[in-house]
Amino acid sequence: MLSLTCHRLHDIWLECDLEGDRRIVVKEETVKDIYFTRRVRTLILDSVHLSEEYLSAKPMWFYWGENLHSLELHNCEIEENSFLSIIGKCLNIRTLHLVNCNSLFMSGNLLVKPQDLEFAQNALRHVTELNLARNRYLSDSLFNRLVTAASNISSLSLANCQLACHPAIYRRFYPPTQSTPSISVFTFQNVLKFIKSQNEIFKSIDLSHTLVDSECLSELCNIPNLTLNQLYLSSCDQLPAAALIAVCRRQRELSTLDVACVTRCTDQVVKAALDHLHKLQHFNLKSCRAITNLTPLHKNNKLKHLNLSGCENLAASSVHEMLDDSVFHHLKFLDLSACVLDEPTVLSLAKRMPNLQHLDLSSCRAGVTDASFRAICRGLHWLNSLILSWCELVTDNGLGGDTLASIHGLRHLDMCACFQITDMGVKRAIRFLELQSLNLSLCKELSDEGIISLGEANPSIEKVQLSQCYRLTDLGLSSAIAHWHRLKFLDVQGCKLLSDAFLLAVSIHCPKIRYLDVSMCFGITQKGIREFESRIRFPCQLHYRHINPTAS
């Protein structure tokens, strides 16, 4: 009776709206491992060859097509007819991603027929977000046909596209006698014309990894009646600080500004953003090495997402001063990896960001000590992701007592290369019913005693990284994975004491395994690999470099 009740509850859950925005990711090797439900809202197809034969053989469109709100094709081989067939079954999508789908644009004939364009206009009439990132065969003509079909675009991504930005290129392909869009070049000036036509509704653009320069950015931001909410300029190295400051002064409604890896982003840009962008919530300054001062951040305590990873010249004193001046109640995501922090700064951080959910302090060697680790755990109760890789000063004393237990719902824990952690600390501290991802690679004091405890205390694990934990044996790891029935990803490369018996245990206890790395596990043989592959039901990405070279 209990079994029947559980099945009935599962069916009800699948058919009602309680599951919300359900996402399905389909890859070529996992397409057979699909549970069909009519309530999928987001479908992601990754590295799939979408031939006409494939589409006719798979019933996914019957189950999902009419309910899809988001369709994402990543790295897919697809032709024009297949694309039309797909969108004809997905008439309610709001989001369309065609990322690195070069075969779709290679011929230049997509939607060139009037009847195809009319068909696409009907199919894509609800689309407001279009992602064309990493497509090298785009042209002005192709782009214009796509945005004619999807005529309500408010969000556009052209990241990593070969976008010609210099005016001389535009003049070369558009002499005074040229009126039709070029089939040979994709120009920023043509994109700008489209944005001008959509200025009342256009809100977001991603120009990351393109050659956009200060002149292009000025033309964009000065379009009459254009009010951007999101602007992504990651790795746009042609941009000087003055251009970014002008953006902040002109587009004051920005809630997201991404200038990661823009080498000429300076303290003045940060100050301008905080002076003028009063609605700023997501600020990405990753690897902006010219930044030294964060004191102006106290002007905006509404930030939700702040990435300062790799800002190696950032002064710890300015971070400390910024934290002393404000409490960041809204901040959910903070990445300070590879920044030079001291212990007092981390102690202050733990007091000033009470609702933080993601914290990355990787390689902040001096700042993360036993004392600051305990402060993080006791002050940041809502963390679900804690990344402390290469924080070498953390010891078992920091993990002692119920320190980590103060965090209520931790799901991702990374303590890679925390060399001083031993079985004692692991047994006492890492005990979470909801923990999904754990990285203890290079924790060379971890042995079977600790890994067995991890298996028993953390039953929801899906991803485990134990690379170079060379004291682990078949017995310990086999005992642990017997509790990890959800395990999908396992990296044990360099665990030299493992043998074919471990592979047998994985095939028995881990039916969902999709990635396994046993490289440099010298006790594992080619014969063991072949037997493992014959036992598992579904394809698994298996790495086995430098295993036993003699045994067959």
Side-chain angles (χ1 to χ4, degrees):
M1 178 63 71
L2 179 60
S3 176
L4 289 173
T5 302
C6 290
H7 280 294
R8 178 56 184 152
L9 287 173
H10 181 256
D11 291 341
I12 293 173
W13 176 79
L14 288 174
E15 293 304 324
C16 71
D17 284 327
L18 291 174
E19 62 179 316
D21 184 16
R22 186 175 177 85
R23 297 166 60 91
I24 296 290
V25 180
V26 179
K27 295 191 176 185
E28 188 77 57
E29 66 272 15
T30 59
V31 69
K32 293 183 291 185
D33 188 20
I34 296 174
Y35 184 90
F36 288 109
T37 168
R38 294 182 183 276
R39 290 294 180 178
V40 171
R41 291 290 182 260
T42 299
L43 174 61
I44 303 171
L45 296 171
D46 189 356
S47 304
V48 178
H49 184 192
L50 295 169
S51 64
E52 288 287 344
E53 293 77 17
Y54 179 94
L55 296 175
S56 61
K58 306 301 177 186
M60 65 181 73
W61 311 110
F62 170 76
Y63 285 93
W64 299 333
E66 64 181 14
N67 293 308
L68 283 181
H69 288 176
S70 178
L71 175 63
E72 301 183 21
L73 308 184
H74 295 257
N75 315 302
C76 291
E77 290 287 332
I78 181 172
E79 297 177 352
E80 294 93 337
N81 290 338
S82 299
F83 174 71
L84 292 171
S85 177
I86 289 174
I87 62 173
K89 297 178 176 66
C90 306
L91 297 178
N92 294 306
I93 56 173
R94 276 69 168 166
T95 299
L96 177 62
H97 290 201
L98 301 172
V99 178
N100 196 29
C101 295
N102 286 296
S103 60
L104 181 60
F105 305 109
M106 189 179 297
S107 71
N109 293 325
L110 180 65
L111 306 183
V112 73
K113 299 177 182 178
Q115 63 267 30
D116 290 347
L117 182 59
E118 183 179 354
F119 179 85
Q121 284 178 308
N122 179 62
L124 304 178
R125 63 188 183 278
H126 299 303
V127 171
T128 58
E129 178 183 331
L130 180 62
N131 186 341
L132 299 173
R134 297 169 55 202
N135 287 300
R136 63 180 181 270
Y137 295 112
L138 280 174
S139 67
D140 286 348
S141 180
L142 267 170
F143 176 79
N144 286 1
R145 292 198 295 270
L146 279 168
V147 295
T148 299
S151 57
N152 295 307
I153 299 298
S154 62
S155 176
L156 175 65
S157 175
L158 299 174
N160 275 286
C161 290
Q162 295 185 356
L163 191 62
C165 297
H166 200 283
I169 298 177
Y170 184 78
R171 288 194 297 268
R172 176 186 172 189
F173 285 90
Y174 289 93
T177 57
Q178 174 78 16
S179 59
T180 58
S182 173
I183 62 172
S184 304
V185 68
F186 186 33
T187 64
F188 178 80
Q189 289 76 10
N190 184 70
V191 174
L192 205 62
K193 289 180 182 178
F194 162 71
I195 297 174
K196 288 178 180 178
S197 70
Q198 301 283 102
N199 61 345
E200 297 288 350
I201 64 170
F202 196 82
K203 298 299 178 184
S204 173
I205 187 164
D206 188 346
L207 295 169
S208 300
H209 297 271
T210 66
L211 296 176
V212 62
D213 57 18
S214 56
E215 185 176 343
C216 294
L217 204 56
S218 176
E219 288 186 75
L220 172 67
C221 292
N222 287 298
I223 293 175
N225 299 320
L226 177 67
T227 304
L228 291 176
N229 297 141
Q230 299 175 330
L231 179 60
Y232 300 88
L233 299 168
S234 176
S235 298
C236 292
D237 275 338
Q238 304 292 317
L239 294 174
L244 298 174
I245 292 171
V247 168
C248 297
R249 290 173 176 167
R250 179 65 183 174
Q251 293 292 331
R252 299 195 175 202
E253 297 297 308
L254 283 173
S255 60
T256 297
L257 179 59
D258 184 347
V259 289
C261 304
V262 177
T263 54
R264 288 181 278 182
C265 180
T266 62
D267 293 340
Q268 288 71 33
V269 175
V270 175
K271 184 178 184 304
L274 298 168
D275 283 344
H276 301 294
L277 305 181
H278 301 300
K279 296 183 179 181
L280 189 64
Q281 296 182 353
H282 295 76
F283 201 10
N284 189 354
L285 296 164
K286 177 182 178 181
S287 297
C288 293
R289 293 180 173 86
I291 293 176
T292 62
N293 184 13
L294 274 187
T295 305
L297 270 176
H298 76 272
K299 299 177 182 179
N300 185 344
N301 58 10
K302 296 180 180 179
L303 279 174
K304 293 182 179 180
H305 184 291
L306 179 61
N307 191 340
L308 295 162
S309 171
C311 295
E312 54 194 28
N313 294 313
L314 187 61
S317 58
S318 77
V319 180
H320 200 165
E321 185 179 347
M322 176 265 295
L323 291 169
D324 281 345
D325 288 343
S326 294
V327 178
F328 293 85
H329 289 288
H330 299 281
L331 198 65
K332 307 292 185 185
F333 179 104
L334 178 63
D335 189 342
L336 287 166
S337 57
C339 291
V340 181
L341 303 179
D342 54 22
E343 184 182 70
T345 300
V346 179
L347 290 171
S348 180
L349 179 156
K351 297 176 183 177
R352 300 288 181 173
M353 300 175 179
N355 297 309
L356 208 60
Q357 296 178 1
H358 174 101
L359 177 62
D360 190 342
L361 296 175
S362 301
S363 299
C364 298
R365 289 177 169 85
V368 183
T369 63
D370 284 343
S372 58
F373 178 78
R374 285 193 292 267
I376 288 169
C377 296
R378 291 170 180 167
L380 305 178
H381 299 298
W382 304 110
L383 282 178
N384 59 46
S385 180
L386 179 60
I387 304 175
L388 301 174
S389 58
W390 295 94
C391 293
E392 302 160 8
L393 299 182
V394 178
T395 71
D396 288 347
N397 290 330
L399 295 175
D402 60 350
T403 303
L404 266 175
S406 302
I407 303 175
H408 302 306
L410 195 64
R411 287 177 170 79
H412 307 281
L413 177 62
D414 187 342
M415 303 192 75
C416 171
C418 295
F419 300 117
Q420 300 190 62
I421 293 175
T422 70
D423 292 336
M424 182 181 297
V426 167
K427 288 170 62 178
R428 288 188 303 187
I430 305 179
R431 310 178 67 84
F432 296 96
L433 290 177
E434 298 177 357
L435 191 68
Q436 297 174 1
S437 173
L438 177 64
N439 188 353
L440 294 175
S441 296
L442 292 168
C443 294
K444 298 183 179 180
E445 297 301 316
L446 182 66
S447 71
D448 285 351
E449 182 181 356
I451 199 67
I452 290 172
S453 172
L454 284 172
E456 294 171 347
N458 304 275
S460 300
I461 286 284
E462 296 181 8
K463 179 179 181 178
V464 177
Q465 294 166 272
L466 299 167
S467 175
Q468 305 297 325
C469 294
Y470 53 75
R471 298 179 63 190
L472 299 178
T473 70
D474 291 336
L475 177 62
L477 264 172
S478 297
S479 299
I481 64 175
H483 299 277
W484 292 338
H485 303 297
R486 302 180 185 178
L487 192 65
K488 298 177 182 178
F489 183 109
L490 179 59
D491 182 355
V492 291
Q493 58 180 309
C495 296
K496 303 176 182 179
L497 300 180
L498 298 182
S499 71
D500 292 346
F502 164 70
L503 291 179
L504 176 61
V506 172
S507 65
I508 293 172
H509 298 297
C510 306
K512 296 185 177 181
I513 194 73
R514 295 294 178 269
Y515 181 99
L516 177 62
D517 194 337
V518 293
S519 301
M520 295 178 288
C521 296
F522 300 127
I524 290 178
T525 67
Q526 293 286 350
K527 179 181 178 182
I529 293 291
R530 290 194 298 270
E531 291 178 350
F532 173 79
E533 291 178 321
S534 68
R535 283 191 295 264
I536 57 176
R537 287 182 57 202
F538 299 106
C540 174
Q541 189 176 346
L542 183 61
H543 297 271
Y544 50 93
R545 304 177 307 280
H546 307 299
I547 60 173
N548 194 319
T550 57
S552 60

